[in-house]
Amino acid sequence: MSGFPAFDYRNARLYGESVQLDRIAEEFGTPCYVYSRAALIAAYEEFDAAFAGRDHLVCYAVKANSNLAILNFFAPRGGGVDTVSGGELLRVLKAGGDPQKVVFSGVGKQPDEMRAALAAGILCFNVEAEPELVVLDRVAGEMNKIAPVSLRVNPDVDAKTHPYISTGLKENKFGIPFDEAERLYLSSREFANVRITGLDCHIGSQLTELDPFVEACGKILGLLDRLETQGLPIDHLDLGGGLGIRYAGESPPPARDYVAALCSAVGQRNQRILIEPGRALVGNAGVLLTRVAYLKHTPYRNFAIVDAAMNDLMRPALYDAYHEILPVIANRNDIKTYQIVGPVCETGDFLGHDRKLSLAQGDLLAIMSAGAYGMSMSSNYNTRPRAAEVMVDGDRIHLIRERESIEQLIAGEKILP
Ligand code: LLP
């Protein structure tokens, strides 16, 4: 048993749904991201079903994995998206997304991005500061449009996660300080070209407990009630994303418990509820396939040098994040403790430390839980073309992004005349 339902062993061989992962490596090469269609759909449906009868919108956070084939799953199922750039918005529209189900988050929206979103007719801008509201009001006025707005409020709640991905503390750059939010909400009535429609918060990512969500929700609801009492109606509550997944030993609450906790906090209030999950929808629906290029046994440590690197999956190098690493063909002979490292010229280029594996040159490994913030954070460091991406569906294999070529990579560069 792998512990990951979409990617499991049959006869000691790792499969993605009904496809042997070694077959994918033969056909498409490595490194290669592999996603399971069934896992994506199951994750979305668990969130959606948990709202049972309540007016809601599950807005997939595009940043987690922005491949068009993945974005294309959510619209036909009634889902929306959370975008943070003009580029993400364009992807969503190309993948058939409904602009009326798009929210636009982020601390640094540029006027051209605002224009694109206003032209598309998105559901809501999640505004993070007063100067942003000033610019949005001006841009909307120039276009003769009214911008729908939620203010993203920073509730000052400890999400108890890695400091780099905690966003809801008062010292973080995100959102409007809780104590200033009410004043800004009330003064937003003076902006002629914006209309307040919602209230938003997001406190961090990879949360493995419900308490911080419930605490943030309580603060936000208190603010909502005060605003309504003062004659400012709010149509929707956007409670952000952040539900964690199991990488190793964590036991995050299932999506249904998380949604039930939010719904119970909101109680009888009749606002539509939006959430913005990213990782919990795609994280465990993907793996990164890589091949052992060389083994290096030194008197101090054993290294498995694989063909994937920190440019393909940055999470271990950036957050010291743990990803399970499994052999594609299980073999229990001669187990050693390995450092799983990539070819990039940095000591920080590791994918896993101290993994007990039985390895030979040419073996395939699957780096698990790589569906979220894997490909979307990849780079071309060391002039490494980005990996291919493949989706399995039952026994079918679809290439959803070709491996990048070096020619594509240098195409925009020019030598001086
Ligand atoms: N909404 C907003 C406003 C966000 O900033 C984020 C993530 C999400 C939703 C989705 O959060 P999720 O459900 O995926 O936790 N690169 C990091 C994660 C950064 C998350 C940034 N914001 C990682 O690899 O762990």
Side-chain angles (χ1 to χ4, degrees):
M1 288 282 284
S2 70
F4 300 92
F7 296 92
D8 215 344
Y9 287 100
R10 293 189 204 166
N11 302 322
R13 208 174 270 262
L14 198 58
Y15 279 67
E17 298 193 23
S18 302
V19 180
Q20 290 175 212
L21 293 186
D22 51 321
R23 241 189 80 201
I24 295 179
E26 292 304 330
E27 197 169 333
F28 300 99
T30 50
C32 179
Y33 277 97
V34 183
Y35 309 112
S36 152
R37 182 173 188 270
L40 284 164
I41 294 174
Y44 175 79
E45 286 179 348
E46 185 181 346
F47 273 102
D48 197 45
F51 279 100
R54 205 162 177 141
D55 189 10
H56 71 280
L57 188 62
V58 178
C59 292
Y60 168 61
V62 174
K63 63 171 81 70
N65 189 323
S66 54
N67 187 292
L68 297 185
I70 289 178
L71 297 181
N72 181 251
F73 274 142
F74 302 110
R77 294 178 168 75
V81 291
D82 167 46
T83 58
V84 291
S85 69
E88 286 191 353
L89 174 63
L90 191 79
R91 282 179 174 277
V92 167
L93 298 177
K94 278 221 181 305
D98 174 357
Q100 260 305 298
K101 293 184 175 166
V102 175
V103 300
F104 190 175
S105 304
V107 286
K109 302 178 197 73
Q110 296 294 314
D112 63 325
E113 296 177 313
M114 294 173 176
R115 273 190 283 277
L118 284 163
I122 66 163
L123 174 64
C124 191
F125 290 85
N126 291 338
V127 169
E128 303 217 13
E130 189 161 1
E132 183 190 333
L133 198 59
V134 172
V135 173
L136 181 58
D137 181 62
R138 194 196 70 220
V139 171
E142 287 161 5
M143 293 175 73
N144 244 330
K145 303 238 182 214
I146 303 290
V149 164
S150 270
L151 297 186
R152 173 170 174 184
V153 175
N154 181 329
D156 192 25
V157 163
D158 184 358
K160 302 190 190 119
T161 183
H162 189 288
Y164 289 9
I165 55 176
S166 169
T167 59
L169 285 170
K170 59 179 182 301
E171 53 267 35
N172 297 141
K173 70 177 173 182
F174 297 99
I176 292 155
F178 191 75
D179 297 339
E180 290 172 28
E182 188 169 331
R183 178 197 60 78
L184 187 55
Y185 257 110
L186 297 174
S187 67
S188 68
R189 291 189 269 208
E190 289 149 28
F191 292 91
N193 309 301
V194 305
R195 186 170 68 85
I196 294 293
T197 60
L199 173 51
D200 170 49
C201 80
H202 169 79
I203 57 173
S205 200
Q206 184 55 14
L207 275 69
T208 52
E209 294 168 32
L210 286 179
D211 294 355
F213 288 117
V214 173
E215 189 186 341
C217 201
K219 288 184 113 173
I220 294 294
L221 290 167
L223 175 61
L224 172 95
D225 295 343
R226 290 196 295 282
L227 294 174
E228 293 216 308
T229 318
Q230 293 172 82
L232 193 80
I234 301 286
D235 304 333
H236 75 252
L237 263 176
D238 181 341
L239 298 170
L243 181 63
I245 60 169
R246 194 182 78 81
Y247 285 97
E250 310 91 334
S251 44
R256 59 181 173 281
D257 292 1
Y258 158 78
V259 170
L262 298 182
C263 289
S264 127
V266 175
Q268 298 302 309
R269 296 176 185 83
N270 58 5
Q271 278 76 18
R272 182 185 202 195
I273 304 179
L274 272 57
I275 52 169
E276 303 170 351
R279 187 189 322 262
L281 287 174
V282 295
N284 272 330
V287 303
L288 173 59
L289 264 187
T290 183
R291 201 179 279 283
V292 176
Y294 302 103
L295 294 179
K296 188 189 267 195
H297 302 284
T298 78
Y300 313 102
R301 289 176 127 188
N302 300 313
F303 295 95
I305 301 154
V306 299
D307 62 6
M310 64 188 284
N311 73 295
D312 300 300
L313 179 66
M314 201 181 180
R315 302 192 70 259
L318 191 58
Y319 314 114
D320 207 12
Y322 183 95
H323 286 255
E324 204 74 81
I325 300 180
L326 299 177
V328 169
I329 297 175
N331 169 7
R332 286 186 214 288
N333 308 321
D334 191 24
I335 290 187
K336 290 193 172 63
T337 301
Y338 283 100
Q339 312 304 316
I340 313 293
V341 300
V344 161
C345 307
E346 299 219 18
T347 300
D349 178 28
F350 68 92
L351 297 166
H353 286 311
D354 301 325
R355 303 305 173 90
K356 295 198 172 11
L357 289 161
S358 159
L359 292 179
Q361 192 169 357
D363 278 2
L364 285 170
L365 293 172
I367 303 174
M368 309 306 286
S369 312
Y373 306 109
M375 186 64 176
S376 65
M377 290 174 74
S378 65
S379 78
N380 294 121
Y381 188 38
N382 279 206
T383 305
R384 288 170 51 84
R386 268 173 297 182
E389 291 178 289
V390 160
M391 173 93 61
V392 295
D393 176 14
D395 58 4
R396 284 183 299 173
I397 310 174
H398 303 277
L399 179 65
I400 60 169
R401 181 180 163 131
E402 288 173 16
R403 183 176 307 286
E404 210 165 30
S405 70
I406 296 177
E407 287 66 35
Q408 282 173 316
L409 225 152
I410 59 176
E413 298 181 26
K414 303 266 185 301
I415 290 172
L416 294 190

